[in-house]
Amino acid sequence: MVGDVLEGWVGTEPRPMVYLPLYQTTQDEISLIARTAGRPGALLPSLREAVWSADPDVAVTLETTLESLVADSSLSERYRTLLVAFFAVSATLLAAVGISGVTARSIAMRAREFGVRVAVGAAAGHLMRMVLTETLATALAGSAMGLVGAAWVSRLLARFLFGIEPLDPFTFGAVASLLVGVCLAASYLPARRILRLDPVAVLKTD
C-alpha cells in the first residue's frame, strides 16, 4: 500500500501508483534509492559496490542524488522563469526612466505658473504639497490601471512561471510602489529647484 507518487518532473501532479514484485514484471531495470544523514554524493561509491557484490555483471548507470534529479527536472522551467524575470525587470526600469522624464518635464513646464503663484503670495511649502498631491493622484491612478492590465496578462504567462504564483501580491506591490516613488521623486526635485528661483527671473524666461 503506497500513496500517490510524483513521477517524471516536479511540475506534474501525483498519481496513484502500484508496485509489483520484480519477477512478476517485464521490467529490465530497477532503481535503488537510499536515504542518508550525510552527504548523498559520498554514498554513491558504496551503493555501487553493494550492487556489484550481489551481481558483478549488473550495469550501474545514472548515479546521482535526488537533489540533482529535482534540479534537472525543473531546469527548463527555471530558465523560462529567469527569462521572464529579466524582461520584467528591464520593462520596469524602462518604465521608471520614462515616467521620471515625463513627470520632470511636466513640472518644469509649469515654472511660469509657479512664479505667478509665488509672486501673488503663495507659500513654497503649499505649492510643493500641491505638486506632490497631484503627482500622487496621477501615479496611483496609473498604477491601478497597470495592475489591472498586469493581472490580466499574468494569466497568459502562468505556464512560463515556476515556483511563484502569477498573481504574486509582493511583486505587484513592489513594482507599483517603485513606480509611485519614482513619480514623487521626479516631481519633487524639479519643483524644489523652481521654487528656489527668484519669481521675477522665472516670469522673465520663455
Side-chain angles (χ1 to χ4, degrees):
M1 300 292 294
V2 297
D4 295 347
V5 176
L6 180 62
E7 186 179 34
W9 60 290
V10 295
T12 58
E13 293 293 332
R15 61 178 183 174
M17 184 65 62
V18 175
Y19 290 98
L20 300 175
L22 183 62
Y23 293 109
Q24 296 182 11
T25 67
T26 59
Q27 187 173 351
D28 57 358
E29 62 180 24
I30 62 174
S31 299
L32 176 61
I33 303 175
R35 174 180 294 180
T36 175
R39 294 173 49 248
L43 189 64
L44 294 178
S46 300
L47 291 176
R48 189 189 318 120
E49 294 296 333
V51 172
W52 286 341
S53 65
D55 189 345
D57 295 329
V58 172
V60 179
T61 61
L62 192 60
E63 303 175 38
T64 185
T65 63
L66 183 60
E67 182 181 3
S68 299
L69 289 176
V70 172
D72 292 341
S73 68
S74 61
L75 182 61
S76 60
E77 285 73 24
R78 287 188 286 114
Y79 172 76
R80 287 198 295 263
T81 300
L82 289 175
L83 189 63
V84 171
F86 170 77
F87 285 115
V89 172
S90 300
T92 302
L93 293 177
L94 289 176
V97 172
I99 290 174
S100 176
V102 171
T103 304
R105 177 61 179 171
S106 65
I107 297 299
M109 293 178 62
R110 300 176 64 181
R112 291 179 62 84
E113 173 194 343
F114 294 158
V116 172
R117 289 178 179 271
V118 172
V120 297
H126 174 75
L127 292 178
M128 181 63 72
R129 286 193 297 271
M130 180 191 70
V131 170
L132 294 179
T133 301
E134 293 176 355
T135 302
L136 180 61
T138 303
L140 291 177
S143 298
M145 296 176 61
L147 290 176
V148 172
W152 181 78
V153 174
S154 64
R155 298 178 181 178
L156 304 178
L157 300 177
R159 65 189 185 92
F160 295 106
L161 302 178
F162 177 75
I164 60 174
E165 296 295 329
L167 299 178
D168 183 47
F170 175 78
T171 302
F172 277 49
V175 173
S177 300
L178 173 64
L179 296 180
V180 171
V182 167
C183 289
L184 293 177
S187 62
Y188 173 78
L189 295 178
R192 186 182 65 172
R193 185 171 56 253
I194 294 172
L195 293 176
R196 285 182 175 180
L197 299 176
D198 184 5
V200 178
V202 173
L203 293 174
K204 289 182 178 180
T205 58
D206 294 329

